[in-house]
Amino acid sequence: MKLAHCCWPVLASMLPLLSVHAADTKSGSAASKNMPSYSMMLIGGGASVCASTEKSQCEATASFSDNAKTGALFSVQAKYIDNIVKNEFWPAERKETAKQVGALLTHLQNKLAGSDVSERELSRLWRSSEAEHNGSWVSGRELYGSLSDAERNFVFDQLEVQVNQRNSASDRKKEQVLPQYSKDSFSLGLYQQFVSLATEVSGKRAPRILVVTASGRDPFAAVDYYVDLFKKLGAEASWLPVNAAYQAAQRDSAGSAVACQNYLQHLVTEQGSYQRGRIYPDLLAEQKAFCARGSDQAVEMIRRADAIFFNGGDQSLTYKAFKQPDGSDSKELAQIRSMLSKGELVLAGTSAGTAVMSGGSYLGSDTVMISNGQSPQAVYQGAFAAKAPAPGCEKDNSCGTGMDENSLTYQAKGGLGLFPWGVLDTHFSERGRQGRLLTLVAQSKNTFGFGVDEATALLVGFDKKNPDLIRFSVSGAEGVYVAQRVAETIVEPSRLMAMQSHYFTNGDSFSLQQGQLFASFADWKYAPSTTSSPMLTSGSLFNGDNYRQLANLLCNNQSRTADGSFNVAGKEFKLQLRRDSQSAARSGQYHVGSINKNYCSYRNIQVSVAGN
């Protein structure tokens, strides 16, 4: 077996360098920036490094300062309970539920006796408790389960308190990152590779990286993590506080002076986030000042940047942060789009920060943005061009006609429109999302869909001399699944026939030119040598990574087909993977640190699925 060796952080040296250095490397002007080898880095989520709030990701020798934040804290106080129960947040039909919540929290207040607790401990105590209300006992477990996600977020936001530094009543603790002590070499390598690409743009000076946290319901929560991470990796990192609430304040008829002071109200309305000023007073002050300076200052920050990183969360929130209500670009997005097209900027996203990049059009079809859904429901129900149902929507009957909380939904007008070549999906193989991507690509008439696995990145490179040629490369722990609609594809209710699929893993590259896909497997991978042809089957196909495991078995032997099944709404579905004369597979082993990772990549495996 061939063995590929790699030592992070020199991964970026594997990338071809296309930069042309300019004379001025100090001003940050367009004239001083260089074309990077890859202009986009789309991570599938799940890329974790050693941090004070994620100590499980750290080597045993990692040591944080006393002022490092280790997690959020919650305090059950009478004034907070009163605000929860009496708040206009609750509609008339949920007022009784609010009173039950108040009774349960009052019980917990007495039990905790002023002690602050973690979110996990508060949830445990809630679910294990009972409280009397109007002569009846309220089960904490049943009450907790009856709340929608929006209701639960509201309650917990009201109870969260600032985590203060030792011997300080006002200065908050901040999350700290120690990347050099990270257990996951692949995740660390991705962030190092992003900084390396940004350095290709900046030249001799340290790269300027902006962090966008717009995908988070709480836009302040991830700021410390990413800014500290990129600083520790050698960049000049800062926060770009563009989010949905900021854009709403910019549009407010009251004017920016008033609207930006009322930022927290916009945060409630636009993002469903409460009491954030109590938790992050310093970041709120920074946000208000940024808001008051307006979009011209934001555009200037972007102009000076070499790279921008978009966090994970909810892609619809990032859409609202960079698009106007009529779907046109904000000034900030227009600047990003211009710089990306000129090769003056590297964009990276993770999870929702990746999914939101899709949009625009390719090969005559509008590229859509996925917003919700599980694979079984997608195959059974089809896709809905509708707003994503909220988690727990079935509890308050707000899902929408014909939908449940697991229905596949998409935004027909796409996301930010920075990636027009197909639908983007994330946390892909780990969550069995092949069915939803195949369904959406086929039904929306897109040609391609790209599903990026966790701790893995899809790199996108441009060629100024040949703008029709788009280069892709895969980096990281797992792979990128490509769903392709072809002329033979048939999509009908509960039936999807003859889709093509490809799976490219670490080190592979491929390109698109005028709708044609050209693949090149890593040179350390070889054709599997096994001559066995076992019968390959899998039940519960979309549970976890069962689909990936089944496809990997087919990839590694000479079987012609592999069959899987799954059930939804009492109906059984059968899915078949089939090789044909155009199919190819390559496997190999990759070595990084103490890890030996086996891969099998393939192209042109046909997928068909139908209900019995």
Side-chain angles (χ1 to χ4, degrees), residues 40 42 319 353-360 367-370 411 413-425 446:
M40 301 184 79
L42 305 173
Y319 180 88
T354 286
V356 76
M357 298 293 177
S358 63
T367 303
V368 304
M369 182 184 78
I370 197 165
Q411 192 161 285
K413 57 188 175 183
L416 301 185
L418 301 170
F419 185 96
W421 303 284
V423 183
L424 287 166
D425 204 355
N446 280 233

Side-chain angles (χ1 to χ4, degrees), residues 549-562:
Q549 292 185 41
L550 180 66
N552 190 65
L553 290 172
L554 180 64
C555 183
N556 274 301
N557 63 59
Q558 299 302 311
S559 295
R560 301 295 297 176
T561 62

Side-chain angles (χ1 to χ4, degrees), residues 102-387:
L104 197 286
L105 291 177
T106 299
H107 167 75
L108 292 181
Q109 179 192 6
N110 295 330
K111 190 171 185 176
L112 289 168
S115 298
D116 296 343
V117 293
S118 67
E119 181 175 5
R120 181 177 181 179
E121 179 64 8
L122 179 57
S123 298
R124 187 192 68 80
L125 289 170
W126 181 323
R127 291 193 297 265
S128 64
S129 298
E130 288 185 333
E132 188 176 5
H133 173 63
N134 288 343
S136 300
W137 287 97
V138 176
S139 164
R141 183 172 299 278
E142 292 179 4
L143 179 61
Y144 190 91
S146 73
L147 299 178
S148 67
D149 276 24
E151 292 170 338
R152 196 176 299 121
N153 288 336
F154 168 75
V155 172
F156 276 70
D157 279 1
Q158 301 294 337
L159 300 175
E160 189 176 357
V161 293
Q162 180 176 295
V163 183
N164 292 325
Q165 294 183 15
R166 181 175 296 182
N167 301 321
S168 174
S170 58
D171 295 330
R172 69 180 181 90
K173 290 185 175 181
K174 296 182 180 180
E175 188 172 5
Q176 294 178 7
V177 181
L178 297 177
Q180 70 273 28
Y181 292 101
S182 299
K183 288 181 180 179
D184 186 346
S185 299
F186 283 107
S187 292
L188 175 59
L190 293 179
Y191 292 123
Q192 291 172 320
Q193 190 171 8
F194 172 57
V195 174
S196 181
L197 288 170
T199 303
E200 291 183 26
V201 177
S202 66
K204 295 180 180 180
R205 60 174 169 78
R208 300 187 184 111
I209 293 178
L210 297 179
V211 172
V212 174
T213 57
S215 291
R217 186 183 66 86
D218 177 351
F220 304 133
V223 173
D224 296 341
Y225 178 91
Y226 284 115
V227 170
D228 194 37
L229 169 61
F230 293 128
K231 283 183 177 179
K232 295 283 177 61
L233 294 179
E236 181 184 316
S238 55
W239 179 38
L240 180 66
V242 174
N243 47 59
Y246 156 83
Q247 288 293 1
Q250 296 301 306
R251 296 191 300 267
D252 195 318
S253 60
S256 61
V258 174
C260 292
Q261 284 304 308
N262 293 333
Y263 172 83
L264 286 178
Q265 185 54 51
H266 289 294
L267 188 60
V268 168
T269 303
E270 298 295 328
Q271 299 181 228
S273 191
Y274 304 81
Q275 303 294 348
R276 296 304 88 189
R278 187 168 72 206
I279 317 304
Y280 305 101
D282 55 328
L283 294 180
L284 176 61
E286 183 178 346
Q287 175 75 74
K288 287 182 175 181
F290 176 86
C291 179
R293 290 193 294 268
S295 57
D296 288 345
Q297 174 64 26
V299 167
E300 176 61 17
M301 286 182 67
I302 294 168
R303 186 193 68 79
R304 288 175 51 81
D306 303 303
I308 302 178
F309 184 90
F310 291 76
N311 76 321
D314 181 347
Q315 54 262 44
S316 67
L317 293 178
T318 311
Y319 180 88
K320 291 199 298 182
F322 287 92
K323 286 282 194 175
Q324 300 292 355
D326 64 0
S328 61
D329 287 358
S330 66
K331 290 182 180 179
E332 295 84 0
L333 180 56
Q335 179 68 22
I336 291 171
R337 192 183 305 282
S338 174
M339 293 175 68
L340 182 66
S341 68
K342 296 174 184 176
E344 299 168 359
L345 188 68
V346 176
L347 291 185
T350 184
S351 189
T354 286
V356 76
M357 298 293 177
S358 63
S361 63
Y362 185 59
L363 302 177
S365 295
D366 292 336
T367 303
V368 304
M369 182 184 78
I370 197 165
S371 56
N372 189 69
Q374 300 290 334
S375 286
Q377 282 80 4
V379 176
Y380 175 60
Q381 299 173 338
F384 297 85
K387 182 180 178 181

Side-chain angles (χ1 to χ4, degrees), residues 315 355 370-379 383 406-409 423-428 431-442 542:
Q315 54 262 44
I370 197 165
S371 56
N372 189 69
Q374 300 290 334
S375 286
Q377 282 80 4
V379 176
N406 293 319
S407 293
L408 171 60
T409 58
V423 183
L424 287 166
D425 204 355
T426 58
H427 299 281
F428 195 72
R431 299 185 185 179
R433 289 180 164 173
Q434 293 85 356
R436 80 175 195 174
L437 185 63
L438 290 162
T439 298
L440 183 54
V441 169
F542 294 120

